[in-house]
Amino acid sequence: MRINKMIRSIRDLGVSIWVENGKIHYFKKDGKLEDDIKSVLVDNKTEIVKYFEEDGERFDSFPLTDIQMAYLLGRRGAFEYGDVASHLYMELDYPSLDCMKVQDIWNRLIAEHDMLRAVISENGTQKVLKNVEKYHIYISAESEEIRNKWANKYFKTEMWPMFDIGVTNSSEKYTLHLSFDFLIADWASIWTLLMEFETIYFGKKDANKKCTVTFRNYILNEIGMKNSRRYGEDKEYWEKRLDTIPEAPILPLQSNTIKTNRFVRFAKKLQVGEWEKIKEFSMRVGVTPTTTVLSIFALCIERWSSNKRFALNLTTLIRNDKYSNIYNTIGDFTSVNLLEFDLSKEVIFRDFIKTVNKQIFEDLDHNSYSGVEVIRDLRKKRRNPKLFYPIIFTSSIGLLELNDMVGKINDNGISQTPQAFLDCQVMDSSDGLYINWDVREGIFEKDVVQDIFYTFIKYLKAFSGTYDLWDKKVIIELPENQICRRKTVNNTFRKIEADTLQNLFVKSASNMPEKIAIVDEDGEYTYEELLWVANGIAKELKENGCKRGDLVGIKLDKGFFQIASVLGVLFTGAAFVPIDNEQPELRAKKIINTAKISFVISENENFLKGNEDCKVIRKNQIYMQKQCMEVVLDNVSDIAYIIFTSGSTGEPKGVVIEQQAVLNTIVDINDRLNVKDNDCVLALSQLHFDLSIYDIFGMLAVGASCIIQI
């Protein structure tokens, strides 16, 4: 057997293998190495050591990691909020720099670190080039010129290099400019390169021992571990949680989000005294400083989020420390974890951060199944290919020794990531805690992110001030300017005239029949078309005996016909009962029997076998009707719908919602979103049936267009 095939077969058994100082090292995540594998390693030691030391396949192609593949796909405009390179631009200021010396050192680093010579193919593989031409740094007198060119750089992945290095000289300082695609180096790797640069440039004592494991060998080892028992156990851990992992925070977005690929930065530094106090208090509670900062971030996000249970995308830069000096290997070792938060009730800060800390470490104990794989599973499970988690937290606290750095990072940096709306990055040094928020332009309502950012800084300082605060319930206060705005809105008295959902819609349809009402995956529909289909549904229901006060089940996927069905039911004076299409048939039957539902609008009737008392209205039975006689528009005191929950016993329990209650809710929504313009477009994504109805009818009531994202 050739040595390369032998090594591949060993990796396929979930065993990591590498060589250091002439000795074979191995590691198996899920237990002790079997005797037969040990025998193979012992019998072939000389050939295996020689193979690794001679870099037998060092320059052959190898697969991308899960996160690299996600970054590569995210560069494509076909993906929602894609068309963005995973990229970092940063600047460090120095008292003086010799440009030619800088260039020579970077060429030395390029020769020493494989991934600085890497290229990436569109087919999902990467390779290290054995030889590259001499790299010439960019020299300019104008920092602004370089910033404008590199801040949102988009490298061609199949061409070397996938980075830029430049130097500018002003009368006061020299600035080192760096532009890196995260596909070849993560945040920790870039700082490792900078520390190596300074070690050589300033003649510092080189304390960094080189890692003998290349990025390629590391990745091949990790891929092999997917065949291990540990990987299967970790996969099972996450699969059991797919039904309960919440969605991303729902923050106030612009009515018409603008899909740009530009990001802006908010930056602040927590002074060293304040940071030391947070570290001291964290140790007293028994949590990591990262957990404390992350928890404060989550609390601030929750204050602006309409959902109090949510998940944040936690970026981790942790590497397998079984490889000695692994942090000196350059590459994209990034992984992500969906971290859950439940802030539906008030929490004592100390208890909250201990819960968060426990969850982080429990998740990390099962991280061989990656966060990217978990998100893919969620998309399949929830039949939502557009599901993503755009609020990100990235910490390199405690990972990097930056205390002896001569260069000082300034505030002109920026990073960007596909499908990211907000990326909170924190990094510490002897100067304190550096905080950067990189925010995608055109997404959030004006001033929202700025308000959350400065609230975050305010509470970092507050929790560094006194430990007494850690033993109290957390109440995140809004900024003064937002409190004033809310008081103004809340103090504006206006009479809410009694009306019905269906009548509000009919008024809009009469005023603007040709305006787009609904946009779903099948196309666009005008107010007039929505009215006509609703009339057809009402006619079919009446002809089958439906009357005012009856209950009609609606078991349909989100979309135009679902909304038309709600209107059609309301036109008859009946109330509707939403039945989730993904619910088991047994539960759907229980809801129908419990509510004594006489009619169900659905695309199939198989789930009703044996229930002769319930009539199914099929989509293919409906025809547009320009007129519908005896439409009920004035039943303002009647029931609008009944929503069923599991109840404390697990049995379906109905909650009755009246027309007036829904009216009050949609008025509140329109006030909150400032919906006044008939050209307003609301994007509805990842919402449950009952929440969607509030929003959709709130928009239809004022003549807006509703985009329903499936």
Side-chain angles (χ1 to χ4, degrees):
M1 181 188 294
R2 289 185 59 193
I3 293 299
N4 64 332
K5 290 184 178 180
M6 180 190 302
I7 292 170
R8 192 181 310 137
S9 65
I10 291 172
R11 282 176 172 148
D12 287 344
L13 295 171
V15 180
S16 296
I17 179 171
W18 69 100
V19 169
E20 288 182 20
N21 301 320
K23 294 182 179 180
I24 297 175
H25 292 252
Y26 54 82
F27 168 65
K28 196 166 189 281
K29 275 187 177 179
D30 57 1
K32 189 177 179 181
L33 196 65
E34 289 81 357
D35 290 338
D36 56 340
I37 300 178
K38 282 185 181 179
S39 297
V40 170
L41 295 177
V42 171
D43 293 344
N44 296 275
K45 177 183 176 181
T46 302
E47 291 84 356
I48 293 172
V49 171
K50 182 180 178 182
Y51 177 83
F52 275 101
E53 290 182 342
E54 291 181 353
D55 298 321
E57 296 178 340
R58 181 177 178 185
F59 304 109
D60 290 350
S61 297
F62 60 104
L64 297 176
T65 65
D66 287 338
I67 197 72
Q68 284 180 304
M69 182 59 77
Y71 286 164
L72 186 65
L73 294 174
R75 301 166 74 92
R76 300 171 184 171
F79 288 81
E80 187 164 25
Y81 298 104
D83 199 23
V84 169
S86 51
H87 176 259
L88 171 73
Y89 171 75
M90 64 184 298
E91 298 179 6
L92 281 85
D93 294 331
Y94 290 88
S96 177
L97 286 174
D98 180 327
C99 293
M100 290 302 100
K101 187 176 179 181
V102 170
Q103 180 169 288
D104 290 342
I105 293 172
W106 277 100
N107 275 283
R108 176 174 165 180
L109 294 174
I110 291 167
E112 289 179 358
H113 294 289
D114 285 5
M115 290 305 289
L116 293 185
R117 305 189 308 282
V119 291
I120 294 173
S121 300
E122 288 293 323
N123 65 3
T125 62
Q126 56 193 322
K127 67 181 297 185
V128 174
L129 302 177
K130 187 173 184 178
N131 297 302
V132 294
E133 61 190 34
K134 182 178 180 180
Y135 181 78
H136 297 278
I137 67 171
Y138 190 84
I139 302 172
S140 173
E142 297 292 335
S143 290
E144 199 64 32
E145 176 202 357
I146 294 183
R147 286 180 202 131
N148 291 336
K149 282 184 177 180
W150 294 358
N152 294 277
K153 188 73 179 279
Y154 194 103
F155 291 100
K156 294 181 179 179
T157 63
E158 294 181 323
M159 295 178 59
W160 180 85
M162 292 176 63
F163 60 87
D164 295 309
I165 309 294
V167 174
T168 55
N169 174 19
S170 67
S171 57
E172 299 176 351
K173 63 186 178 184
Y174 284 73
T175 301
L176 180 66
H177 303 257
L178 299 99
S179 165
F180 268 83
D181 197 307
F182 280 131
L183 280 165
I184 63 167
D186 59 22
W187 178 248
S189 293
I190 292 167
W191 277 101
T192 296
L193 288 168
L194 285 168
M195 288 187 284
E196 286 193 30
F197 163 76
E198 288 203 355
T199 295
I200 301 169
Y201 189 96
F202 296 105
K204 299 178 183 178
K205 183 179 179 181
D206 189 357
N208 292 328
K209 296 180 180 178
K210 305 303 179 191
C211 182
T212 57
V213 177
T214 65
F215 182 68
R216 182 181 188 277
N217 284 338
Y218 182 96
I219 296 308
L220 292 175
N221 283 342
E222 292 296 301
I223 290 173
M225 287 189 183
K226 290 193 174 185
N227 296 319
S228 68
R229 185 181 74 249
R230 166 73 180 277
Y231 179 82
E233 292 171 350
D234 290 356
K235 181 179 181 181
E236 184 180 0
Y237 168 83
W238 289 105
E239 284 179 340
K240 287 179 179 178
R241 294 176 53 193
L242 291 178
D243 289 329
T244 60
I245 292 175
E247 295 163 359
I250 302 174
L251 298 174
L253 307 182
Q254 292 187 17
S255 299
N256 286 306
T257 56
I258 303 169
K259 293 186 178 180
T260 73
N261 58 3
R262 296 189 63 84
F263 285 68
V264 295
R265 170 164 286 187
F266 297 84
K268 199 76 175 175
K269 186 177 78 172
L270 201 64
Q271 297 302 319
V272 61
E274 297 167 323
W275 178 230
E276 289 300 323
K277 280 295 183 183
I278 284 183
K279 290 196 290 183
E280 176 191 331
F281 296 159
S282 299
M283 186 180 297
R284 194 182 301 184
V285 175
V287 303
T288 67
T290 288
T291 296
T292 299
V293 177
L294 169 59
S295 299
I296 296 171
F297 176 71
L299 288 163
C300 293
I301 290 294
E302 179 274 329
R303 192 65 180 87
W304 272 263
S305 176
S306 61
N307 54 333
K308 306 308 178 185
R309 282 192 70 247
F310 53 78
L312 297 177
N313 203 335
L314 178 62
T315 302
T316 59
L317 304 172
I318 300 170
R319 308 178 187 187
N320 190 336
D321 59 7
K322 294 295 180 182
Y323 307 92
S324 57
N325 305 310
I326 187 61
Y327 278 92
N328 293 317
T329 297
I330 304 305
D332 181 17
F333 295 86
T334 309
S335 60
V336 295
N337 172 43
L338 291 184
L339 186 64
E340 296 184 39
F341 295 88
D342 186 353
L343 288 162
S344 54
K345 298 178 181 178
E346 288 185 341
V347 293
I348 293 173
F349 185 67
R350 183 194 63 246
D351 297 339
F352 174 60
I353 61 176
K354 289 173 76 171
T355 300
V356 172
N357 198 71
K358 180 181 178 182
Q359 187 66 59
I360 289 174
F361 281 97
E362 186 175 344
D363 289 351
L364 291 179
D365 280 343
H366 299 87
N367 69 348
S368 67
Y369 196 73
S370 74
V372 173
E373 291 173 300
V374 174
I375 294 173
R376 287 176 190 154
D377 291 344
L378 283 170
R379 287 171 178 165
K380 292 177 184 176
K381 178 88 173 175
R382 300 179 185 182
R383 296 191 296 175
N384 183 1
K386 296 182 179 180
L387 175 69
F388 65 108
Y389 288 81
I391 311 300
I392 302 169
F393 183 87
T394 305
S395 170
S396 56
I397 292 172
L399 290 181
L400 305 168
E401 292 291 339
L402 305 178
N403 298 341
D404 296 328
M405 290 288 293
V406 176
K408 301 300 179 185
I409 188 170
N410 63 34
D411 293 337
N412 293 314
I414 192 75
S415 71
Q416 57 190 40
T417 310
Q419 294 197 322
F421 289 175
L422 187 165
D423 187 356
C424 171
Q425 305 145 21
V426 289
M427 175 183 71
D428 67 332
S429 76
S430 58
D431 294 330
L433 180 71
Y434 293 89
I435 304 147
N436 295 324
W437 282 22
D438 290 329
V439 181
R440 191 163 186 158
E441 289 185 327
I443 299 294
F444 297 102
E445 281 188 8
K446 183 182 178 182
D447 299 332
V448 162
V449 173
Q450 180 174 294
D451 286 344
I452 305 176
F453 178 77
Y454 285 107
T455 301
F456 178 53
I457 301 302
K458 172 184 173 182
Y459 280 89
L460 281 173
K461 291 178 176 288
F463 283 107
S464 72
T466 171
Y467 184 72
D468 291 343
L469 198 59
W470 294 52
D471 285 321
K472 296 180 179 178
K473 289 183 177 180
V474 185
I475 301 175
I476 301 293
E477 296 179 354
L478 293 169
E480 188 63 33
N481 63 325
Q482 192 164 115
I483 292 173
C484 292
R485 285 201 301 270
R486 292 197 176 191
K487 284 182 178 178
T488 301
V489 171
N490 292 335
N491 289 335
T492 302
F493 174 79
R494 66 188 179 94
K495 184 180 179 182
I496 302 175
E497 296 182 3
D499 211 335
T500 61
L501 297 177
Q502 62 270 30
N503 194 42
L504 288 171
F505 166 74
V506 169
K507 289 176 182 177
S508 293
S510 299
N511 292 333
M512 51 194 73
E514 296 182 359
K515 181 177 174 59
I516 298 298
I518 300 292
V519 180
D520 68 9
E521 63 180 359
D522 295 322
E524 299 179 347
Y525 305 88
T526 65
Y527 273 83
E528 188 174 59
E529 290 170 329
L530 179 56
L531 175 63
W532 292 350
V533 174
N535 284 341
I537 292 168
K539 180 175 182 292
E540 188 68 25
L541 284 168
K542 286 185 176 182
E543 289 179 352
N544 280 277
C546 183
K547 60 187 182 300
R548 183 168 178 168
D550 284 347
L551 295 180
V552 180
I554 297 180
K555 192 173 187 294
L556 296 165
D557 289 333
K558 289 184 177 67
F560 168 77
F561 192 73
Q562 183 200 57
I563 303 306
S565 297
V566 171
L567 284 167
V569 171
L570 295 175
F571 281 176
T572 68
F576 64 92
V577 180
I579 303 172
D580 194 330
N581 238 355
E582 296 185 14
Q583 287 179 342
E585 290 185 5
L586 180 61
R587 178 172 169 80
K589 286 181 180 179
K590 281 186 177 180
I591 291 174
I592 290 168
N593 293 332
T594 302
K596 295 181 171 55
I597 292 171
S598 303
F599 307 90
V600 174
I601 303 174
S602 180
E603 297 201 6
N604 71 76
E605 54 192 21
N606 294 334
F607 69 98
L608 277 177
K609 286 180 180 178
N611 191 334
E612 306 298 333
D613 298 328
C614 190
K615 172 80 174 177
V616 174
I617 307 298
R618 301 281 299 273
K619 184 177 180 179
N620 58 11
Q621 296 175 235
I622 306 303
Y623 298 93
M624 283 188 175
Q625 301 288 328
K626 291 189 177 182
Q627 300 293 330
C628 183
M629 302 302 293
E630 300 179 7
V631 174
V632 178
L633 299 175
D634 60 352
N635 58 337
V636 70
S637 60
D638 284 1
I639 295 171
Y641 70 102
I642 299 176
I643 184 74
F644 274 82
T645 64
S646 296
S648 58
T649 63
E651 292 295 313
K653 179 181 179 182
V655 179
V656 176
I657 311 295
E658 295 180 348
Q659 285 268 6
Q660 186 60 45
V662 181
L663 176 65
N664 293 338
T665 301
I666 65 174
V667 168
D668 289 343
I669 289 171
N670 288 339
D671 283 345
R672 174 165 52 84
L673 297 177
N674 197 26
V675 179
K676 298 174 182 176
D677 191 334
N678 286 339
D679 292 327
C680 170
V681 177
L682 178 71
L684 299 170
S685 178
Q686 306 159 27
L687 295 174
H688 297 297
F689 191 113
D690 57 322
L691 296 177
S692 297
I693 292 301
Y694 288 150
D695 289 333
I696 291 171
F697 278 97
M699 301 303 101
L700 294 177
V702 295
S705 300
C706 302
I707 300 176
I708 303 178
Q709 296 182 349
I710 306 302

